[in-house]
Amino acid sequence: MSDDIRAQTIYFIVTDRFHDGDPSNDGGRNPESYDATHTNWGKYWGGDLGGIVAKLDYLQGLGVGAVWLTPVFDQVDDTTDAEGRGHAAYHGYWAKDFRRIDEHLVSSPRDIAVFRSSDTVFDRMLAEMRARGITLVLDVVCNHSSPELRQQKGALYDDGQFLTSYDDDRLGWYHRAGSITDWRSERVVQQGELCGLADFDENVHSFRSYIKGVMKDWLDKGVGALRVDTVKHMPLWFWQEWVSDLRAHRPGLFLVGEWFQGGCYDAASVAFANGSGMTIFDFALQRALEEALARSLYDGFLAVDRVFAADGLFRRPTHLVTFVDNHDMPRFQSVGATARRLEMAVALVMVARGIPCIYYGTEQYLHDDTNGGADPYNRPMMDRWDTQSPLYCAVARLARLRRDNPAIQRGYHQPRWLTSDTYAFERGWGACVCLAVFNRGAARSIGPVRTALPDGDYACVLTGRRIAVSGGHVAKLDLASDDVLVLSHAVVEPPVPGTSVTFQLNGYATQPGERIAVVGDAPELGAWDFAKAPLLRYVSPNLWEGDVGFERSAGGLVRYRFVVLRDDGPPTVETAYPRRAYVPPSGADRRSDRWGG
Ligand code: NOJ
Ligand code: CA
């Protein structure tokens, strides 16, 4: 299996609402926090880690390569907030101990102190995931602990030992700036309290050391990747230090930050995605998909394409995490999508650039439309496990396709047909190509549609429908109403020999006919000969990427820079003092450079 996260499909689970593997833990420390009837949406409903383990075969069948669970940390036990409403911390975002697991999730009290042994249910879950090639994405929160309940606000423990609380802040870890009132002020958003949640002060060194130490312990336990909550609420410098420390501990660690409503239309979120070391969730694409396919707004696919057309804003657009809905917004069907439109949207994110994340139950069309499906009605109990449901089967097929076709993982995005109702786009990486076509309007014929697919006869990955490509075109495509077509051509490229170094170049606005190579002193880099320098591949107007194998130079230093080659003129050599890079003796490494930098 590829260890590139972009080959995977993520599945996001609100653990309490997935599967109750052990009814004996349902009451937790405060039986009031549990509702066996599943009618009080603010209480625990019984899902747990045992329930996750029991359903791993189901997830493996779906083709899932990574599972993101809502935070597992021990939560406040109280259910009454300052306004007297009953809300339990079933969602996991009100931590009271980052080194313990919440008692609702485990079966034995011993398993709560998860770092004191290595045979807890959490360890067993990790082992079962590993056996199925599934990575655990842990949801972590650094911005805050808990809100004002009957218990102390922000009471925080470390593996059971009291550390601090908002009212007895002996460590000075909390901000005291009141609620966030002015959302336009970066300072207020970062220092104020979100929904009354006690807000950590990142300037305090002991807090930073603590929150880094804790997260490293979870990585050492076997957690494979992190989903990071509320990143908009802490300064960029904090995240840079935090990510770089975690990466020093676990090289190559994948992290995705939740910048609520972030994406190409939010400049601060773009700066975060480009500068923090984490990628972000693509809320801009989510909104465009919702408008086009759930709300059927006039702009349709024009709005969707506008998001992809802005990919040049990002240094790594193919690492954005894409989704059609999540636990902080109504589910897709609750805002007007038919089952078919949901299938279309899911198919689109499965083949588009970015790493797709499927919200639990989507494959079973799970939704509850009470109050427009807003939180908490977007978190129903999973009630069906049908491995023959059309969407379960479609996700399984497309997840396999994503694993098999590098064009989907890391390739360019090229529109091939675009109207508000019909969208054809192509992904390409070397000889690998995937052409996807979507039609939300009435049945129609389109064509000729240009394609980089080699001439031949193709079967749609979803339906088996046969389509001919000839002379670099599909001559005529008959599309039904709400149709989806996915054609794929994947070749297996031999792995590069020796140490594989991925070169990523940003910041050169390429013109048609230009190619970019990496040239350097090593023989693998052409020994400064442009004609022998390995070529990178075009991904976006701001990104070229390529893998270079190092055998003779592995374990040593190389010097390099980039050069633009063209058939009809002299090369443009980067004016930059050559960079120096150490090539590890084996394995894989990644370089990330800016033209001229
Ligand atoms: C974002 C999470 O996704 C949301 O569900 C949670 O309530 C807030 N952050 C606060 O942690
Ligand atoms: Ca349970």
Side-chain angles (χ1 to χ4, degrees):
M1 188 182 58
S2 167
D3 54 8
D4 187 332
I5 181 83
R6 293 171 296 181
Q8 309 303 341
T9 300
I10 304 174
Y11 189 84
F12 168 38
I13 298 175
V14 176
T15 307
D16 177 61
R17 303 293 159 93
F18 195 59
H19 182 54
D20 189 351
D22 179 6
S24 77
N25 59 19
D26 291 349
R29 273 186 291 261
N30 172 10
E32 254 183 60
S33 67
Y34 172 64
D35 172 36
T37 66
H38 297 181
T39 51
N40 185 335
W41 291 73
K43 294 198 173 182
Y44 284 90
W45 284 3
D48 46 38
L49 299 188
I52 304 284
V53 173
K55 296 298 179 187
L56 284 176
D57 287 341
Y58 170 88
L59 296 175
Q60 190 181 22
L62 187 61
V64 163
V67 170
W68 154 26
L69 300 181
T70 41
V72 298
F73 311 122
D74 197 13
Q75 300 288 297
V76 293
D77 303 317
D78 212 339
T79 53
T80 308
D81 65 14
E83 281 91 47
R85 292 171 306 195
H87 279 304
Y90 72 91
H91 44 68
Y93 294 102
W94 297 350
K96 82 164 185 228
D97 194 327
F98 288 106
R99 270 206 179 83
R100 289 198 164 180
I101 295 203
D102 193 79
E103 79 278 6
H104 296 88
L105 303 179
V106 300
S107 298
S108 138
R110 218 182 118 259
D111 290 359
I112 293 170
V114 66
F115 292 113
R116 295 194 194 170
S117 57
S118 50
D119 61 350
T120 66
V121 63
F122 186 78
D123 296 285
R124 284 196 295 283
M125 177 183 74
L126 280 171
E128 293 289 340
M129 285 183 169
R130 258 193 307 274
R132 291 168 179 79
I134 295 175
T135 298
L136 175 63
V137 183
L138 191 71
D139 197 333
V140 300
V141 189
C142 299
N143 176 64
H144 55 261
S145 54
S146 62
E148 176 96 55
L149 296 161
R150 267 184 309 216
Q151 286 174 337
Q152 283 174 301
K153 173 174 175 176
L156 190 67
Y157 297 77
D158 184 41
D159 201 1
Q161 296 295 311
F162 180 74
L163 282 176
T164 198
S165 78
Y166 190 80
D167 296 318
D168 176 14
D169 194 0
R170 45 187 83 174
L171 300 176
W173 280 9
Y174 287 115
H175 278 133
R176 283 163 199 286
S179 299
I180 301 174
T181 42
D182 181 0
W183 282 84
R184 287 159 310 176
S185 159
E186 189 182 87
R187 189 186 55 80
V188 170
V189 169
Q190 291 176 358
Q191 297 180 12
E193 291 175 359
L194 172 70
C195 308
L197 290 156
D199 196 84
F200 289 123
D201 183 349
E202 63 283 344
N203 291 304
V204 181
H205 176 254
S206 58
F207 164 70
R208 295 208 304 281
S209 304
Y210 167 73
I211 205 76
K212 290 187 284 197
V214 166
M215 300 313 169
K216 287 177 193 168
D217 285 351
W218 286 98
L219 295 177
D220 292 345
K221 257 279 174 201
V223 165
L226 301 178
R227 179 270 185 188
V228 189
D229 194 58
T230 33
V231 293
K232 153 194 318 198
H233 298 277
M234 298 183 88
L236 184 55
W237 69 260
F238 165 78
W239 293 118
Q240 290 170 330
E241 176 185 313
W242 187 79
V243 174
S244 99
D245 267 30
L246 293 190
R247 281 239 175 84
H249 192 74
R250 170 78 71 79
L253 176 68
F254 176 77
L255 305 102
V256 51
E258 179 247 359
W259 186 293
F260 192 64
Q261 302 298 10
C264 62
Y265 300 123
D266 181 331
S269 74
V270 173
F272 175 87
N274 287 339
S276 64
M278 292 184 225
T279 186
I280 58 171
F281 289 96
D282 193 348
F283 280 87
L285 181 65
Q286 186 283 327
R287 214 168 321 142
L289 289 171
E290 182 179 311
E291 288 173 8
L293 292 171
R295 299 183 190 272
S296 296
L297 299 193
Y298 179 77
D299 257 11
F301 288 116
L302 302 177
V304 175
D305 186 66
R306 272 198 292 277
V307 173
F308 294 126
D311 275 356
L313 293 171
F314 292 98
R315 292 178 61 196
R316 288 173 294 270
T318 57
H319 281 88
L320 292 167
V321 175
T322 55
F323 60 105
V324 305
D325 54 20
N326 70 17
H327 61 323
D328 292 329
M329 59 181 63
R331 285 176 179 259
F332 213 65
Q333 286 182 275
S334 293
V335 282
T338 58
R340 182 62 192 150
R341 288 291 185 84
L342 176 66
E343 290 163 9
M344 292 175 72
V346 169
L348 195 146
V349 295
M350 289 298 297
V351 298
R353 65 95 179 99
I355 305 154
C357 179
I358 309 287
Y359 187 33
Y360 80 97
T362 300
E363 73 284 5
Q364 303 296 344
Y365 309 91
L366 180 70
H367 64 111
D368 183 302
D369 299 341
T370 310
N371 191 26
D375 173 5
Y377 302 102
N378 52 0
R379 305 160 182 193
M381 198 74 195
M382 185 80 172
D383 56 0
R384 257 172 309 160
W385 309 92
D386 178 5
T387 55
Q388 298 305 314
S389 99
L391 200 37
Y392 183 98
C393 297
V395 170
R397 287 205 181 97
L398 295 172
R400 199 175 321 125
L401 181 72
R402 173 168 277 270
R403 282 177 201 236
D404 291 345
N405 192 337
I408 299 175
Q409 300 161 20
R410 60 196 304 205
Y412 62 75
H413 173 102
Q414 173 72 53
R416 294 295 191 194
W417 195 274
L418 177 60
T419 68
S420 56
D421 282 348
T422 309
Y423 192 26
F425 65 78
E426 197 154 75
R427 311 285 316 288
W429 176 260
C432 299
V433 182
C434 176
L435 176 68
V437 188
F438 303 84
N439 178 39
R440 72 164 193 176
R444 71 193 58 207
S445 293
I446 62 169
V449 180
R450 217 177 124 194
T451 175
L453 287 166
D455 286 3
D457 202 26
Y458 293 84
C460 171
V461 174
L462 290 168
T463 60
R465 198 177 139 196
R466 301 210 76 90
I467 303 287
V469 173
S470 145
H473 289 87
V474 178
K476 180 163 163 280
L477 256 184
D478 296 321
L479 298 170
S481 153
D482 286 347
D483 210 354
V484 179
L485 182 83
V486 178
L487 308 180
S488 169
H489 174 73
V491 296
V492 182
E493 292 183 332
V496 297
T499 303
S500 168
V501 178
T502 298
F503 287 87
Q504 171 199 312
L505 175 70
N506 293 118
Y508 183 84
T510 339
Q511 299 303 313
E514 294 180 335
R515 303 180 305 277
I516 295 191
V518 51
V519 65
D521 61 346
E524 297 91 335
L525 298 175
W528 296 121
D529 182 348
F530 304 147
K532 295 192 180 131
L535 290 168
L536 305 185
R537 288 171 176 167
Y538 172 87
V539 180
S540 86
N542 180 24
L543 173 60
W544 287 71
E545 201 173 286
D547 306 329
V548 179
F550 288 88
E551 288 185 288
R552 279 170 61 190
S553 313
L557 281 175
V558 299
R559 290 178 293 127
Y560 68 95
R561 61 184 171 186
F562 299 94
V563 55
V564 180
L565 305 171
R566 41 182 84 78
D567 292 333
D568 56 357
T572 304
V573 188
E574 190 187 20
T575 307
Y577 193 77
R579 301 169 179 84
R580 277 152 55 94
Y582 171 70
V583 179
S586 61
D589 202 9
R590 194 176 177 90
R591 312 288 313 167
S592 169
D593 295 303
R594 240 193 117 67
W595 175 264

